[in-house]
């Protein structure tokens, strides 16, 4: 009776693997393989567990070979036989499978050949959170980044030539050629400062100080460009997520795209677990809430009221009575949109029809709670 249960699991695994995404099992195998490869480099561990280490590494290689073959078969059956093998992901999968066997076939020492299993780490890169955002930032900011790179290379070469001219007679062993001086320039411009090569002439030290200052400036520019790009991409992603959430709230369903964009800029999103206290009775309120998903419970005198998706609460604090009159908690996992008092007033000034809707809902609830 175990076989029927096993086949659906295997089918699900093959389907997930064919999609060219890393499965949970693949991440575990990567960790196991790379960890075992590290043990391979430790002499006492290798001498004591040589057979076990070899078995784990070959098992990991067999797993990745199975993944590769499944994806090749899926590509062939879908009529895109060469799309996957020639793609970046396909080449990475092929390298992870073939690198070690080819090295062994060419007579490389096994302990050295298995070091190529470090390529398995590259398979996990697409699953790193935020990698696509980093890729977008690099593409969008490639012009400024390349400009700063050009400045870096120019300062690097000028500093090397200057130190060669000033230090070659005093230190022929370390500054005897421009290529030799390049090592000092790289170490200094990156502000690493190993101290193995140091100018000793007065003019050489002045040039070194200028190179250090330029290094700080160059890396400051790179940091600023990337930070600005990441901030812009984060705002863009947050805006899109909030837009999608706002458009699903029935309260905003009648608004046009420009009004929804206006609301999206003002609202902030919070995710709350079940039984989380949102509002305490008697506290001063300065915001109202819209329920994008989930449910909240309003604890009123003598009864409890549940509000579901699309409802809003806390509006009385923005309409004049800023003292909360009930405890409100979530009953399940909920996503709420928060509108602060200042933004509320701006929104009401731009969209007076919302004031009427909120006032009508507030009066209706007041009558129900009497």
């Amino acid at each position: 009776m175990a076989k029927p249960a096993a086949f659906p699991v295997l089918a699900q695994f093959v389907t997930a693997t064919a999609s060219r995404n890393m499965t949970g099992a693949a991440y575990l195998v990567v960790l196991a393989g790379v960890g075992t490869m590290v043990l391979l480099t430790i002499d006492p561990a290798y001498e004591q567990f040589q057979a076990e280490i070899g078995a784990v590494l070959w098992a990991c290689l067999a797993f990745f070979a199975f993944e590769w073959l499944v994806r090749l078969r899926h590509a062939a059956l879908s009529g895109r036989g060469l799309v996957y093998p020639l793609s970046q992901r396909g080449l990475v999968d092929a390298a992870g499978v073939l690198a070690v066997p080819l090295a062994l076939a060419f007579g490389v020492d096994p302990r050295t050949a298995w070091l190529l299993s470090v390529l398995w780490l590259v398979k996990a890169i697409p699953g790193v959170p935020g990698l696509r955002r980093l890729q977008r930032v690099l593409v969008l900011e490639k012009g400024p980044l390349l400009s700063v790179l050009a400045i870096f290379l120019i300062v690097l070469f000028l500093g090397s030539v200057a130190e060669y001219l000033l230090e070659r007679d005093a230190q022929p062993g370390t500054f005897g050629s421009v290529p030799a001086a390049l090592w000092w320039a790289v170490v200094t411009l990156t502000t690493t400062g190993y101290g193995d090569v140091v100018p000793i002439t007065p003019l050489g030290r002045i040039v070194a100080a200028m190179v250090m200052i330029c290094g700080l400036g160059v890396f400051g520019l790179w940091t600023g460009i990337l930070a600005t790009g990441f901030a812009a991409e984060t705002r863009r992603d947050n805006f899109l997520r909030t837009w999608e959430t706002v458009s699903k709230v029935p309260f905003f369903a009648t608004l046009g795209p420009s009004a929804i964009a206006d609301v999206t800029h003002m609202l902030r999103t919070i995710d709350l677990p079940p039984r989380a206290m949102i509002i305490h009775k008697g506290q001063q309120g300065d915001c109202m809430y819209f329920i994008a998903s989930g449910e909240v419970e309003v604890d009123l005198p003598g009864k409890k009221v549940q509000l579901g998706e699309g409802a809003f609460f806390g509006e009385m604090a923005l309409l004049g009575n800023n003292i909360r009159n009930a405890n409100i908690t979530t009953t399940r996992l909920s996503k709420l949109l928060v509108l602060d008092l200042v933004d509320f007033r701006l929104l009401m000034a731009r969209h007076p029809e919302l004031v009427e809707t909120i006032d009508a809902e507030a009066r209706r609830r007041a009558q129900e709670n009497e």
Side-chain angles (χ1 to χ4, degrees):
M1 298 296 294
K3 285 187 177 180
F7 284 108
V9 174
L10 179 60
Q12 292 177 3
F13 175 74
V14 170
T15 302
T17 300
S19 67
R20 290 182 282 172
N21 294 324
M22 284 284 287
T23 60
Y27 283 112
L28 291 176
V29 174
V30 168
L31 290 175
V34 174
T36 307
M37 183 270 292
V38 173
L39 291 177
L40 187 73
T41 64
I42 303 174
D43 290 335
Y46 180 72
E47 292 171 0
Q48 187 174 358
F49 303 104
Q50 180 177 354
E52 291 82 355
I53 289 175
V56 172
L57 289 173
W58 278 111
C60 293
L61 183 62
F63 177 87
F64 293 128
F66 172 75
E67 269 194 336
W68 186 44
L69 292 175
V70 166
R71 290 167 181 166
L72 287 174
R73 177 178 176 274
H74 176 73
L77 293 177
S78 62
R80 297 180 296 174
L82 294 179
V83 174
Y84 164 68
L86 298 180
S87 67
Q88 182 179 1
R89 186 64 182 270
L91 294 175
V92 169
D93 289 346
V97 173
L98 299 176
V100 174
L102 288 176
L104 293 172
F106 281 102
V108 178
D109 179 72
R111 292 185 71 180
T112 302
W114 279 112
L115 292 177
L116 294 173
S117 61
V118 74
L119 293 172
W120 296 341
L121 280 175
V122 182
K123 294 169 63 68
I125 289 179
V128 176
L131 189 64
R132 291 182 179 230
R133 184 178 300 177
L134 174 60
Q135 184 179 10
R136 287 200 303 267
V137 170
L138 292 176
V139 171
L140 294 174
E141 304 294 340
K142 63 181 178 181
L145 290 173
L146 290 175
S147 299
V148 177
L149 176 62
I151 295 173
F152 177 86
L153 295 176
I154 290 170
V155 174
L156 179 73
F157 191 73
L158 289 176
S160 302
V161 173
E163 289 297 344
Y164 165 71
L165 291 173
L166 297 171
E167 297 287 332
R168 61 181 176 180
D169 294 331
Q171 300 185 79
T174 54
F175 289 97
S177 65
V178 171
L182 277 171
W183 167 251
W184 167 86
V186 170
V187 170
T188 304
L189 195 54
T190 57
T191 68
T192 304
Y194 289 124
D196 55 341
V197 180
V198 180
I200 59 176
T201 64
L203 289 177
R205 291 181 173 178
I206 292 175
V207 171
M210 296 175 62
V211 171
M212 294 177 202
I213 294 171
C214 289
L216 292 173
V218 165
F219 282 95
L221 285 172
W222 265 327
T223 303
I225 292 169
L226 291 175
T228 302
F230 265 106
E233 284 298 311
T234 301
R235 286 194 299 270
R236 173 181 173 275
D237 290 345
N238 290 340
F239 178 82
L240 292 176
R241 284 197 296 269
T242 307
W243 176 291
E244 182 179 359
T245 304
V246 169
S247 62
K248 293 179 181 178
V249 177
F251 181 76
F252 299 115
T254 59
L255 298 180
S258 61
I260 291 180
D262 199 11
V263 172
T264 301
H265 282 297
M266 294 181 177
L267 294 175
R268 51 190 172 91
T269 305
I270 57 173
D271 295 294
L272 296 175
R275 310 310 304 170
M277 181 69 74
I278 306 170
I279 291 177
H280 291 270
K281 183 178 180 180
Q283 71 177 177
Q284 189 170 1
D286 60 355
C287 62
M288 68 176 295
Y289 301 86
F290 300 88
I291 304 174
S293 62
E295 183 184 68
V296 303
E297 182 179 79
V298 184
D299 188 4
L300 296 169
K303 63 177 179 178
K304 294 183 178 181
V305 178
Q306 281 72 38
L307 299 178
E309 183 175 330
F312 59 88
F313 56 92
E315 72 284 350
M316 296 304 297
L318 307 183
L319 295 174
N321 182 15
N322 62 350
I323 301 301
R324 303 296 193 186
N325 57 9
N327 293 322
I328 301 180
T329 59
T330 58
T331 59
R332 59 175 185 261
L333 183 66
S334 302
K335 181 188 291 289
L336 304 180
L337 303 175
V338 185
L339 181 63
D340 294 317
L341 176 59
V342 175
D343 294 329
F344 172 80
R345 291 174 177 171
L346 289 174
L347 186 61
M348 295 304 102
R350 296 175 185 174
H351 305 285
E353 68 276 11
L354 293 181
V355 178
E356 299 176 2
T357 304
I358 292 177
D359 279 339
E361 179 67 14
R363 288 194 297 271
R364 185 187 67 80
R365 290 183 188 172
Q367 293 174 355
E368 289 181 350
N369 297 336
E370 290 178 355

